Amino acid sequence: MGEVDPAFIQAFEHRPTPTIIEADGIPILDLSPISSLDHLPKTHVISKDMANLIAEVGEASEKWGFFQVINHGVPLEKLEKLELLARKFFALPLEEKKKVTRNEANPLGYYDTEHTKNVRDWKEVFDFTVKDTTVMPISPEQLEAQLLVNQWPDYPPELREVAKEYAEEVEKLAFKLLELIALSLGLSADRLNDFFKDHASFIRLNHYPPCPAPQLALGVGRHKDGGALTILAQDGVGGLEVRRKSDGKWVRVKPTPGAFIINVGDIIQVWSNDKYESVEHRVMVNSQKDRVSIPFFFNPAHYVNVKPLEELLNEHNRAKFKEYNWGEFFANRKRSNFKKLNVENIQISHFRITE
Ligand code: OGA
Ligand code: NI
């Protein structure tokens, strides 16, 4: 493909910049102090190493909204297996992939038509839920939660099983990170866990093919993740850029072998009443190499109403957001990602209390 469809072309001010700032500033946290635990101690009996780790999580969440983790307990063979199968799946002919395509009735499966802020992303993806029974409303016209059903391709046949094994491991890590975040906010470790009893998390296999015009398009346009936490595995190619809070500049996250990239999503921003902001990020593409990334979007149950946590509020820190329902928020997002619309998609700023 020599020409790029105008649907992919970013407005001038959003095009990637040729000068790359590498973010060696994004902290790398070593999770060894908690790697042997299933859950964290609620508050007391916290070792010095653990207390340091909690402080680092708090600092990184406040300063960057992003951090990386190593010694996270997820067996890397499970990730490597899934990555290999993702590559095999994406290498299939388009007609094959389209057999498991998503549609208005089922948001899961394959598609290559996602739009971020109404510009088409240079990527193809395959989505599946983490739990066997995940219920969610999927369109703002029909807000009743419905059972989401994963669509698995015939080939590669092992994808379903390998995806499940990987999901189980990352789910454990997700709960540990949630507990670290709760502790870092001065809350009891399990304060947020109930919201995730019926969590509606999903995993996305992202494939970014080489792009003939990488200076005009983006793999994913600038956006914030709407859920609670994202746990991203990326291959060695690189392309993820994060908006640095200190100066608003886009900085590249250099791939660290074996590390996951964690970012705080909109829900944690609201729970923490802006202490931990959900930071904008985007993905650059290149003309040479394919890239695969695998985000795990850790999302609460659809019935959770999100609002700043009471314990963090006082007369000097009043609630900055009105309560909203997570399922409804998700359904609104889904629709605007599905097709190009003329309206901005839903953002937590729409629930911000203005004085
Ligand atoms: C996303 C995302 C980053 C990446 O899918 O929300 O930000 O590096 N992906 O693929
Ligand atoms: Ni994202």
Side-chain angles (χ1 to χ4, degrees), residues 3 12 14-15 26 89 139 188 210 227 256 292 322 342 348:
E3 289 287 303
F12 188 74
H14 299 313
R15 290 183 194 163
I26 290 189
F89 172 74
S139 108
S188 119
T256 303
V292 167
K322 288 180 279 202
N342 295 319
I348 51 168

Side-chain angles (χ1 to χ4, degrees), residues 7-142:
F8 289 104
I9 297 182
Q10 296 284 332
F12 188 74
E13 67 275 26
H14 299 313
R15 290 183 194 163
T17 31
T19 46
I20 293 164
I21 306 172
E22 292 236 320
D24 48 24
I26 290 189
I28 299 185
L29 309 189
D30 183 347
L31 299 189
S32 343
I34 61 161
S35 53
S36 64
L37 306 171
D38 276 338
H39 285 282
L40 271 58
K42 285 194 185 152
T43 43
H44 48 283
V45 246
I46 285 177
S47 68
K48 189 155 169 271
D49 286 349
M50 211 183 290
N52 283 339
L53 176 60
I54 293 161
E56 285 172 349
V57 165
E59 218 178 284
S61 303
E62 222 175 313
K63 196 166 157 215
W64 283 95
F66 267 84
F67 54 92
Q68 308 188 60
V69 294
I70 53 170
N71 297 318
H72 41 63
V74 176
L76 290 176
E77 322 78 81
K78 296 199 178 176
L79 168 61
E80 283 156 16
K81 269 198 204 160
L82 181 57
E83 202 185 297
L84 186 72
L85 295 178
R87 287 181 200 278
K88 282 192 179 167
F89 172 74
F90 288 121
L92 293 175
L94 189 58
E95 311 87 75
E96 256 327 286
K97 294 184 276 194
K98 287 214 160 144
K99 289 184 182 160
V100 288
T101 207
R102 80 163 174 185
N103 53 54
E104 301 241 13
N106 188 340
L108 301 165
Y110 173 79
Y111 51 100
D112 61 1
T113 53
E114 188 159 71
H115 290 79
T116 303
K117 306 211 193 297
N118 297 323
V119 182
R120 196 164 156 196
D121 294 331
W122 192 271
K123 68 172 182 190
E124 51 181 345
V125 317
F126 179 84
D127 285 346
F128 58 95
T129 62
V130 170
K131 276 170 111 79
D132 289 334
T133 37
T134 301
V135 291
M136 242 349 203
I138 58 163
S139 108
E141 286 78 31
Q142 209 205 326

Side-chain angles (χ1 to χ4, degrees), residues 44-333:
H44 48 283
V45 246
I46 285 177
S47 68
K48 189 155 169 271
D49 286 349
M50 211 183 290
N52 283 339
L53 176 60
I54 293 161
E56 285 172 349
V57 165
E59 218 178 284
S61 303
E62 222 175 313
K63 196 166 157 215
W64 283 95
F66 267 84
F67 54 92
Q68 308 188 60
V69 294
I70 53 170
N71 297 318
H72 41 63
V74 176
L76 290 176
E77 322 78 81
K78 296 199 178 176
L79 168 61
E80 283 156 16
K81 269 198 204 160
L82 181 57
E83 202 185 297
L84 186 72
L85 295 178
R87 287 181 200 278
K88 282 192 179 167
F89 172 74
F90 288 121
L92 293 175
L94 189 58
E95 311 87 75
E96 256 327 286
K97 294 184 276 194
K98 287 214 160 144
K99 289 184 182 160
V100 288
T101 207
R102 80 163 174 185
N103 53 54
E104 301 241 13
N106 188 340
L108 301 165
Y110 173 79
Y111 51 100
D112 61 1
T113 53
E114 188 159 71
H115 290 79
T116 303
K117 306 211 193 297
N118 297 323
V119 182
R120 196 164 156 196
D121 294 331
W122 192 271
K123 68 172 182 190
E124 51 181 345
V125 317
F126 179 84
D127 285 346
F128 58 95
T129 62
V130 170
K131 276 170 111 79
D132 289 334
T133 37
T134 301
V135 291
M136 242 349 203
I138 58 163
S139 108
E141 286 78 31
Q142 209 205 326
L143 286 174
E144 213 168 308
Q146 52 174 286
L147 182 66
L148 304 184
V149 181
N150 286 328
Q151 311 196 65
W152 296 103
D154 291 338
Y155 185 87
E158 323 87 299
L159 180 61
R160 181 183 190 148
E161 195 49 41
V162 169
K164 188 184 157 115
E165 282 184 23
Y166 177 75
E168 281 168 5
E169 297 291 343
V170 184
E171 182 183 34
K172 286 187 234 164
L173 174 61
F175 276 99
K176 286 187 200 173
L177 291 166
L178 188 72
E179 294 182 359
L180 282 171
I181 286 184
L183 288 165
S184 77
L185 288 167
L187 305 165
S188 119
D190 61 354
R191 171 64 174 90
L192 305 169
N193 293 26
D194 281 353
F195 299 134
F196 294 85
K197 216 164 59 94
D198 305 305
H199 69 90
S201 304
F202 66 99
I203 292 183
R204 175 167 290 172
L205 310 176
N206 277 315
H207 175 227
Y208 303 97
C211 176
Q215 68 287 2
L216 299 178
L218 288 168
V220 190
R222 76 198 160 91
H223 68 284
K224 298 175 179 184
D225 293 346
L229 275 179
T230 306
I231 302 178
L232 178 88
Q234 65 167 340
D235 69 12
V237 173
L240 174 65
E241 294 192 326
V242 172
R243 178 98 82 180
R244 183 160 60 195
K245 282 181 77 175
S246 58
D247 60 3
K249 288 219 159 56
W250 288 106
V251 297
R252 180 76 68 100
V253 182
K254 200 168 129 213
T256 303
F260 285 106
I261 297 165
I262 314 300
N263 65 295
V264 165
D266 290 348
I267 293 177
I268 288 188
Q269 175 167 355
V270 172
W271 280 337
S272 73
N273 206 33
D274 278 348
K275 186 161 196 227
Y276 297 165
E277 279 173 59
S278 171
V279 162
E280 250 185 350
H281 51 286
R282 66 182 188 183
V283 177
M284 306 239 313
V285 282
N286 70 80
S287 59
Q288 306 293 323
K289 291 188 194 145
D290 288 78
R291 173 172 184 259
V292 167
S293 74
I294 309 180
F296 176 114
F297 297 103
F298 194 39
N299 296 335
H302 72 91
Y303 50 75
V304 168
N305 290 329
V306 184
K307 61 174 182 188
L309 299 168
E310 298 287 348
E311 319 74 312
L312 302 178
L313 303 177
N314 58 50
E315 59 183 308
H316 305 293
N317 183 23
R318 294 196 191 278
K320 295 191 171 111
F321 298 91
K322 288 180 279 202
E323 178 172 282
Y324 65 90
N325 172 260
W326 162 241
E328 245 176 76
F329 185 96
F330 179 85
N332 277 288
R333 261 293 162 90

